[in-house]
């Protein structure tokens, strides 16, 4: 079974600053995907960024980037030039590459961007 | 907006009752997954349907059941409601293929059991 751990229940940062959210996971699988989802107060879970485990290059989507360390089973999210709209719960999630597309989520980090 | 819709938005039920939640998947998607998100927690996988067949189940009792219809929309049914069933129920649709694996979530149904 897979587990995902997010050790930072809450974080806050000033607008325009950079923040890094941590995530570690445990699995015996070799092929898998990792995701960061954002859940604003509206409740809709929005995909922020994804990483295929077989890719060594870290994924980047505009202001969002990840630091994927496969050997350490670490998958952190960096948000650059943070904006007020980034305020939300952020969930790290794991999915095996083969098999049903079950997502295993961490407990989340509540991020607040301070004006 | 992901194109995934859920109804109703909110629901209040009494312990012991039965409830049906509905999900319309994004156009072109053939797979629907259901998750339960308790307050302050991450979503927990309930089950998944692929082409109208159940394709994986999480650690939930049989009173949680589902259906997927030919148009790939889906229902989640919960019988004999318990207080602990109070949660946000999320559905997510995806297109199962060799190159596609991302799940797109609906806005959820908030279920309160009293």
């Amino acid at each position: 079974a897979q587990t995902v751990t997010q050790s930072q229940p809450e974080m806050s940062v000033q607008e325009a600053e950079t923040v890094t959210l941590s995530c570690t996971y445990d699995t015996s699988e070799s092929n898998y995907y990792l995701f960061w989802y954002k859940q604003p107060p509206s409740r809709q879970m929005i995909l922020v960024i994804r990483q295929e485990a077989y890719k060594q290059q870290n994924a980047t989507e505009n202001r969002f980037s990840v630091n994927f360390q496969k050997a350490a089973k670490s998958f952190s999210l960096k948000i650059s030039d943070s904006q007020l709209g980034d305020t939300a719960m952020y969930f790290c999630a794991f999915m095996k590459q083969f098999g049903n597309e079950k997502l295993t989520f961490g407990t989340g980090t509540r991020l607040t961007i301070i004006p | 907006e992901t194109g995934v819709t859920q109804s109703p938005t909110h629901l209040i039920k009494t312990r012991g009752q039965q409830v049906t939640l509905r999900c319309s998947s994004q156009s072109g998607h053939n797979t629907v997954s259901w998750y339960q998100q308790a307050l302050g927690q991450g979503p927990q996988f309930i089950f998944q349907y692929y082409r109208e067949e159940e394709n994986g189940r999480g650690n939930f009792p049989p009173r949680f059941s589902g259906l997927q219809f030919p148009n790939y929309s889906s229902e989640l049914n919960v019988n004999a409601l318990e207080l602990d069933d109070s949660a946000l129920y999320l559905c997510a649709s995806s297109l199962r293929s060799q190159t596609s694996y991302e799940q797109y979530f609906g806005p959820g149904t908030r279920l309160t059991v009293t």
Side-chain angles (χ1 to χ4, degrees):
Chain A
Q2 287 69 232
T3 59
V4 177
T5 302
Q6 294 180 250
S7 59
Q8 304 153 313
E10 295 189 23
M11 295 187 72
S12 60
V13 67
Q14 293 288 138
E15 191 177 6
E17 291 187 346
T18 295
V19 62
T20 299
L21 309 183
S22 300
C23 172
T24 58
Y25 59 95
D26 190 25
T27 184
S28 58
E29 301 287 333
S30 299
N31 302 300
Y32 50 87
Y33 307 110
L34 295 164
F35 306 87
W36 279 97
Y37 279 90
K38 166 186 177 181
Q39 188 177 40
S42 66
R43 308 180 326 200
Q44 185 135 18
M45 198 77 76
I46 301 164
L47 178 62
V48 174
I49 198 165
R50 60 196 169 281
Q51 175 80 43
E52 293 89 347
Y54 59 82
K55 291 186 177 178
Q56 292 188 339
Q57 186 173 6
N58 289 324
T60 299
E61 289 285 344
N62 301 314
R63 299 182 294 108
F64 300 88
S65 61
V66 298
N67 183 3
F68 173 48
Q69 302 289 327
K70 190 172 184 179
K73 295 181 181 174
S74 170
F75 183 61
S76 62
L77 173 69
K78 185 171 83 170
I79 305 174
S80 303
D81 185 27
S82 56
Q83 301 175 359
L84 297 179
D86 295 333
T87 293
M89 283 291 290
Y90 285 81
F91 292 96
C92 178
F94 173 101
M95 180 195 292
K96 289 195 300 185
Q97 184 171 359
F98 303 109
N100 70 26
E101 297 159 1
K102 165 189 169 183
L103 284 165
T104 300
F105 287 88
T107 52
T109 296
R110 183 176 301 279
L111 176 65
T112 302
I113 309 300
I114 303 166
Chain B
E1 292 290 328
T2 62
V4 180
T5 60
Q6 292 185 245
S7 62
T9 304
H10 297 91
L11 201 54
I12 300 175
K13 289 287 191 178
T14 303
R15 190 171 47 185
Q17 287 187 317
Q18 177 266 342
V19 68
T20 297
L21 310 182
R22 294 178 175 83
C23 172
S24 291
S25 56
Q26 186 166 311
S27 178
H29 285 182
N30 56 17
T31 304
V32 174
S33 303
W34 285 92
Y35 295 84
Q36 180 194 66
Q37 186 177 16
L39 197 61
Q41 300 295 316
Q44 298 290 317
F45 176 73
I46 302 175
F47 45 56
Q48 181 182 91
Y49 280 81
Y50 171 62
R51 293 185 175 177
E52 304 178 57
E53 298 282 334
E54 187 178 294
N55 181 53
R57 187 178 186 92
N59 189 26
F60 282 82
R63 59 188 185 85
F64 285 78
S65 63
L67 282 173
Q68 187 180 32
F69 299 101
N71 67 355
Y72 301 129
S73 65
S74 178
E75 287 183 354
L76 164 65
N77 299 291
V78 187
N79 294 321
L81 284 166
E82 301 176 0
L83 296 180
D84 284 349
D85 296 334
S86 295
L88 180 67
Y89 288 84
L90 299 167
C91 82
S93 77
S94 55
L95 172 63
R96 173 167 290 188
S97 72
Q98 289 187 341
T99 57
S100 176
Y101 51 85
E102 296 166 12
Q103 295 189 15
Y104 297 88
F105 283 82
T109 294
R110 171 75 65 191
L111 173 64
T112 302
V113 182
T114 62

